[in-house]
Amino acid sequence: MADQGFLMEVCVDSVESAVNAERGGAGRIELCASLLEGGITPTIGLLQVVKQYVQIPVYVMIRPRGGDFLYSDREVEVMKADIRLAKIHGADGLVFGALTEDGRIDAELCMDLLAVSRPLPVTFHRAFDMVYDPLLAMETLISLGFERVLTSGCDSSALEGLPLIKRLVEQAKGRIIVMPGGGITERNLHRILEGAGVQEFHCSARSTKESLMKYRNNSVTMGAALTTSEYAIKVADVTKVRTLNAMAKNFL
């Protein structure tokens, strides 16, 4: 645990964001690609370069695609391959989750993935927020041996889900780390730490950075119609990370 009693995890999808997270005082990085989709598995190239530039632990997201957490046999093969590669290339921990079609934790699949992950610690990600019965689901995660669960309290943000997060923390009794995440900003961090009684929290602390492109073709976009501008990049902001970290330190 970080010496100040709070550990701040920042989710990042670039080397720049990883460096900024560390400079701002984050204690851990969750490394993803495509945060627009809520994060999917990052490339091995990204992992390798991030590991060269930061000293804090890097937990790698294992999620083969956006969307739900019900995976086909072939997707499971990809997840296992990605776990093996992440371990070879210096991942300090892994982050994944899988559900059954009726909204329970897929215990059988999670057991298989945890076996491939050993000896690395594993966080069960916000697939948890899509479960039918969160208190039962948490007991399943504890029995499977997950180190922590990332959750917004099964609501649109950690602030909305605060009552459930508090219940999960009380029920966990230290058997699993409950880490709130989802819409955490400097405006609500104090209320979340106060209301939840947690030791760790998760955020992206990003701001929008303008593209350096001078020539622009605005009649073309690279993704679906709902995407943001090709000429704006979201990056973890050192000042935001520093502010959130200072707030957590001064919380007591």
Side-chain angles (χ1 to χ4, degrees):
M1 198 57 68
D3 50 345
Q4 78 274 23
F6 285 103
L7 189 138
M8 174 180 183
E9 176 181 278
V10 180
C11 54
V12 305
D13 58 5
S14 68
V15 182
E16 185 182 358
S17 288
V19 168
N20 287 353
E22 183 175 58
R23 282 192 9 224
R28 183 194 310 120
I29 281 163
E30 181 195 72
L31 187 66
C32 314
S34 192
L35 279 173
L36 270 179
E37 281 193 278
I40 56 174
T41 309
T43 67
I44 293 303
L46 180 59
L47 173 59
Q48 280 187 317
V49 179
V50 164
K51 285 295 293 182
Q52 285 168 25
Y53 282 94
V54 303
Q55 264 65 62
I56 57 177
V58 176
Y59 278 39
V60 174
M61 168 76 78
I62 303 294
R63 186 182 175 215
R65 54 163 172 80
D68 66 30
F69 304 100
L70 181 64
Y71 295 116
S72 70
D73 292 350
R74 284 174 180 172
E75 285 172 333
V76 170
E77 284 178 48
V78 172
M79 291 169 88
K80 288 178 177 174
D82 280 331
I83 290 169
R84 292 187 191 104
L85 285 165
K87 283 169 73 176
I88 291 167
H89 293 284
D92 298 290
L94 298 159
V95 183
F96 55 73
L99 303 180
T100 60
E101 61 182 21
D102 58 354
R104 292 164 213 282
I105 305 292
D106 189 334
E108 199 181 338
L109 173 50
C110 284
M111 214 181 304
D112 284 356
L113 295 176
L114 285 164
V116 182
S117 302
R118 279 192 201 104
L120 295 184
V122 182
T123 300
F124 192 94
H125 60 42
R126 288 187 59 200
F128 185 82
D129 293 324
M130 305 298 188
V131 298
Y132 171 70
D133 180 342
L135 298 172
L136 181 66
M138 188 178 68
E139 291 300 329
T140 305
L141 297 184
I142 290 166
S143 67
L144 286 166
F146 281 90
E147 181 186 57
R148 76 174 52 68
V149 56
L150 169 63
T151 178
S152 62
C154 302
D155 216 320
S156 54
S157 75
L159 191 59
E160 266 88 26
L162 201 51
L164 179 61
I165 294 170
K166 190 172 159 57
R167 277 187 69 189
L168 290 166
V169 171
E170 285 163 4
Q171 191 189 317
K173 294 189 175 67
R175 293 174 297 156
I176 190 170
I177 297 162
V178 177
M179 177 170 64
I184 295 183
T185 65
E186 45 272 55
R187 287 194 301 281
N188 60 28
L189 177 64
H190 196 276
R191 278 158 73 192
I192 288 162
L193 294 180
E194 195 170 46
V198 292
Q199 296 295 301
E200 303 189 3
F201 64 96
H202 170 102
C203 58
S204 63
R206 291 187 298 168
S207 60
T208 302
K209 189 178 115 174
E210 190 56 22
S211 161
L212 297 175
M213 284 297 293
K214 288 191 172 64
Y215 170 75
R216 300 184 175 206
N217 179 353
N218 288 312
S219 57
V220 178
T221 60
M222 294 298 155
L226 290 168
T227 56
T228 54
S229 158
E230 250 68 67
Y231 298 107
I233 305 159
K234 285 199 178 260
V235 181
D237 185 322
V238 179
T239 315
K240 283 190 180 182
V241 177
R242 206 168 273 146
T243 303
L244 286 158
N245 202 44
M247 284 177 72
K249 274 191 171 135
N250 299 330
F251 172 68
L252 303 170

